Amino acid sequence: MVYIMLNNGQPIEAHEKLDRLFPHIEEVGADYVNDEENAAKITRSNRRLLKTHLPYEMTPVNTTNGSKYIFIARNPKDCVVSFFHHTRGFGQHYDFEEGDFDVYFDLFCRGKVDFGDYFNTLKSWMDRRNDPHVLFVKYEDIRENKASVVKEIAKFIDADLDLSKISRNSGNVGGNPDIE
């Protein structure tokens, strides 16, 4: 959604790779992110997008250049169920295709899953939710009132917002493609 906001409502092209346009920091590493040559490769519309599941303290933070951070928090009960199905569905990355939810739930609660302890990560970003360079968004708010959250994100990242373009290319915003 943020990519579409920053690119005049246009989704990525069929030949483009999502992980090249805005990679996961965990996959490419902080050195890659901070390298000037690599930064030029992943910059779009003079704005750079990166994703992470890292706690705030492990995230490369640079507030002197206007960087902004959007953290999407999700109810831990929903998060563990979603992550369980994600883990089972990616046999090439995890050996858990036939995994048991109770086993996974225990691993999740002990922080023994990819990206570590969800609760520590959540707390680290929650503690920064009032920082001017951090926008803390609840996933449930997106589901409940997508248009309002889209407007909040657009304001936070200083994006010109044409909701009709956003709706057309990222699913109905708020269930209504003609939101004003």
Side-chain angles (χ1 to χ4, degrees):
M1 188 179 341
V2 172
Y3 175 88
I4 290 172
M5 285 181 194
L6 294 175
N7 288 280
N8 197 28
Q10 295 302 309
I12 66 169
E13 301 289 329
H15 68 278
E16 293 177 309
K17 299 254 186 232
L18 199 60
D19 62 338
R20 292 294 308 145
L21 293 176
F22 43 103
H24 275 98
I25 295 171
E26 300 92 298
E27 292 176 7
V28 298
D31 290 342
Y32 179 91
V33 170
N34 293 326
D35 181 272
E36 298 270 339
E37 187 176 320
N38 291 325
K41 292 178 191 172
I42 59 175
T43 300
R44 280 270 176 167
S45 305
N46 203 27
R47 304 293 282 278
R48 203 159 161 210
L49 300 173
L50 301 166
K51 300 174 286 197
T52 188
H53 294 92
L54 295 172
Y56 183 86
E57 296 77 25
M58 293 179 67
T59 302
V61 173
N62 184 345
T63 58
T64 61
N65 68 358
S67 294
K68 295 185 177 186
Y69 304 84
I70 301 170
F71 183 82
I72 309 293
R74 191 169 186 186
N75 180 316
K77 293 184 289 185
D78 296 330
C79 187
V80 68
V81 170
S82 177
F83 202 15
F84 168 72
H85 291 294
H86 169 84
T87 302
R88 284 187 60 171
F90 282 89
Q92 70 272 30
H93 298 293
Y94 309 103
D95 184 20
F96 208 76
E97 296 95 336
E98 303 300 321
D100 178 73
F101 180 76
D102 290 335
V103 170
Y104 191 84
F105 181 79
D106 181 62
L107 292 169
F108 180 86
C109 288
R110 291 188 295 125
K112 302 295 183 188
V113 294
D114 273 6
F115 316 118
D117 189 322
Y118 176 77
F119 302 100
N120 287 342
T121 299
L122 178 62
K123 183 178 180 333
S124 75
W125 286 96
M126 201 169 193
D127 289 348
R128 304 299 241 168
R129 70 185 176 279
N130 295 319
D131 290 5
H133 63 280
V134 172
L135 179 63
F136 189 90
V137 176
K138 291 181 280 182
Y139 178 81
E140 293 75 17
D141 291 345
I142 297 170
R143 300 288 298 163
E144 187 174 307
N145 191 350
K146 192 185 291 184
S148 174
V149 175
V150 166
K151 289 175 186 176
E152 181 181 18
I153 291 171
K155 182 178 177 185
F156 178 71
I157 63 173
D158 302 317
D160 292 327
L161 186 61
D162 181 341
L163 280 177
S164 66
K165 288 181 181 178
I166 304 293
S167 297
R168 191 169 39 254
N169 292 314
S170 67
N172 286 347
V173 176
N176 182 350
D178 299 318
I179 290 177
E180 312 254 340

